[in-house]
Amino acid sequence: MLKLLNISASYQDIPILENIYLNISSKLFYGIIGPNGAGKTTLLKIMTGIKGPDAGEVLLQGKKINRFAKKEVAKIMAVVPQSSFVPPLFTVEDVVSMGRYPFQQLRFSDSDADRRCVDEAMEKTGINGLRHRRINELSGGQRQEVIIARALAQTPQILMLDEPTANLDIKHQMKILHLTSALVRNEGMAAVMVIHDLNLAARFCDRLILLHDKKILTMGTPETVLTPAHLKTAYGVETSVGENPLTRSLEVTVLDKKGAVHESVKQCVNY
Ligand SMILES: Nc1ncnc2c1ncn2[C@@H]1O[C@H](COP(=O)(O)OP(=O)(O)O)[C@@H](O)[C@H]1O
Ligand SMILES: [Mg+2]
């Protein structure tokens, strides 16, 4: 659905990404991981055509992304940015309705179909009850759900989210991850999420893309990507990777302090 072919990107001649090949398919949930400053946000911007690459090609449904009008891209891909400014006095419904702009000839000329998409987006994100509240009266978690609903109102085939769970409590984190996962499973969307929490990434994502030193260090299933060797290279820390007995997904424990391992198991793991 979306292909990156040998992409390189820079800011003011400082190289940020080099030789990136990527293939985003429908019905898969991708997690982009890697240290701060690794280029995760830049990669999302390249994927959505917000930033042009220095070299290489971005193909959306087989066609070069810069050949699409911006509104046409927005009908296929929706973005939940790392931080988004929303005019404080707008209501939740106003903000979610903004997601329909690619489909409208005139601004705010919404049709029945537009209204239906807005209602569905609010339903899916569970914010129906907030419809008439003003954005500045909401908690951080609720605000993020509104921004996600705005993206869903675009009825995208690919949903891109840049650290959507940062600064949220565990309940809201889970809600956003379950919702994204359901959109991928039930509606065949592709989701691409930048996420720092490796355990949540392992639990929810089908594929992980680990960025390090301008390149994709490794990508694949969480099992292939989350190895102590890869994590040592990318983050410079020692880790132990095991399986969580309850979720059956991988669990990463950072061992950079000697105290991280309990006395009773130190002999067993030769610490
Ligand atoms: N608009 C910009 N102008 C100049 N440098 C930038 C800009 N945006 C990001 N950078 C730099 O590019 C690098 C990668 O940034 P970013 O993609 O935001 O990383 P990440 O999202 O992985 O933390 C960082 O060194 C950052 O300082
Ligand atoms: Mg970022």
Side-chain angles (χ1 to χ4, degrees), residues 84-147:
S84 40
F85 171 76
V86 180
L89 298 181
F90 278 38
T91 66
V92 166
E93 189 173 13
D94 292 336
V95 174
V96 179
S97 301
M98 289 172 191
R100 295 304 298 165
Y101 85 90
F103 299 87
Q104 295 167 351
Q105 300 301 324
L106 297 166
R107 229 161 152 46
F108 304 114
S109 60
D110 51 340
S111 64
D112 287 349
D114 290 330
R115 276 188 290 273
R116 208 164 40 244
C117 293
V118 168
D119 287 347
E120 270 177 28
M122 290 203 280
E123 182 74 40
K124 282 177 195 157
T125 43
I127 57 166
N128 253 328
L130 303 175
R131 181 182 287 260
H132 301 296
R133 295 272 296 278
R134 289 185 197 279
I135 277 293
N136 62 338
E137 296 167 0
L138 304 182
S139 73
Q142 289 171 326
R143 248 181 84 97
Q144 188 64 293
E145 282 158 16
V146 174
I147 302 299

Side-chain angles (χ1 to χ4, degrees), residues 12-259:
Q12 292 110 35
D13 294 334
I14 300 170
I16 306 294
L17 298 171
E18 284 173 358
N19 313 114
I20 303 283
Y21 286 86
L22 206 53
N23 210 341
I24 300 298
S25 308
S26 56
K27 300 180 194 161
L28 287 176
F29 186 171
Y30 298 83
I32 301 180
I33 57 174
N36 290 321
K40 302 180 295 297
T41 298
T42 306
L43 181 58
L44 273 199
K45 286 183 176 165
I46 296 273
M47 288 164 117
T48 50
I50 295 172
K51 181 176 169 56
D54 298 343
E57 277 181 9
V58 182
L59 300 178
L60 179 59
Q61 297 176 338
K63 184 172 141 185
K64 285 185 185 178
I65 200 164
N66 53 12
R67 297 269 174 84
F68 284 81
K70 283 210 158 47
K71 273 190 171 183
E72 295 310 309
V73 174
K75 285 179 185 171
I76 305 171
M77 280 195 277
V79 187
V80 175
Q82 202 160 1
S83 56
S84 40
F85 171 76
V86 180
L89 298 181
F90 278 38
T91 66
V92 166
E93 189 173 13
D94 292 336
V95 174
V96 179
S97 301
M98 289 172 191
R100 295 304 298 165
Y101 85 90
F103 299 87
Q104 295 167 351
Q105 300 301 324
L106 297 166
R107 229 161 152 46
F108 304 114
S109 60
D110 51 340
S111 64
D112 287 349
D114 290 330
R115 276 188 290 273
R116 208 164 40 244
C117 293
V118 168
D119 287 347
E120 270 177 28
M122 290 203 280
E123 182 74 40
K124 282 177 195 157
T125 43
I127 57 166
N128 253 328
L130 303 175
R131 181 182 287 260
H132 301 296
R133 295 272 296 278
R134 289 185 197 279
I135 277 293
N136 62 338
E137 296 167 0
L138 304 182
S139 73
Q142 289 171 326
R143 248 181 84 97
Q144 188 64 293
E145 282 158 16
V146 174
I147 302 299
I148 294 173
R150 180 179 67 182
L152 294 184
Q154 268 170 259
T155 55
Q157 294 167 43
I158 309 175
L159 181 64
M160 310 264 187
L161 310 103
D162 198 349
E163 296 191 41
T165 55
N167 305 318
L168 298 190
D169 65 44
I170 47 176
K171 179 180 151 188
H172 282 95
Q173 287 183 4
M174 290 306 274
K175 204 176 153 193
I176 287 173
L177 284 156
H178 275 297
L179 169 67
T180 309
S181 191
L183 293 166
V184 171
R185 298 287 158 265
N186 306 337
E187 304 190 20
M189 247 184 231
V192 183
M193 182 184 286
V194 177
I195 181 165
H196 272 300
D197 188 315
L198 300 178
N199 296 332
L200 289 178
R203 181 166 163 190
F204 287 94
C205 297
D206 303 304
R207 301 282 184 275
L208 296 180
I209 299 156
L210 175 54
L211 286 185
H212 165 69
D213 195 18
K214 307 188 269 296
K215 305 231 168 48
I216 294 178
L217 177 67
T218 170
M219 69 178 142
T221 60
E223 286 70 22
T224 352
V225 171
L226 296 178
T227 65
H230 289 148
L231 297 173
K232 171 81 180 177
T233 305
Y235 296 93
V237 295
E238 301 293 340
T239 55
S240 162
V241 181
E243 189 186 89
N244 180 302
L246 297 176
T247 60
R248 293 288 166 94
S249 55
L250 290 187
E251 193 164 61
V252 176
T253 308
V254 182
L255 302 174
D256 61 340
K257 290 189 184 122
K258 286 285 175 189

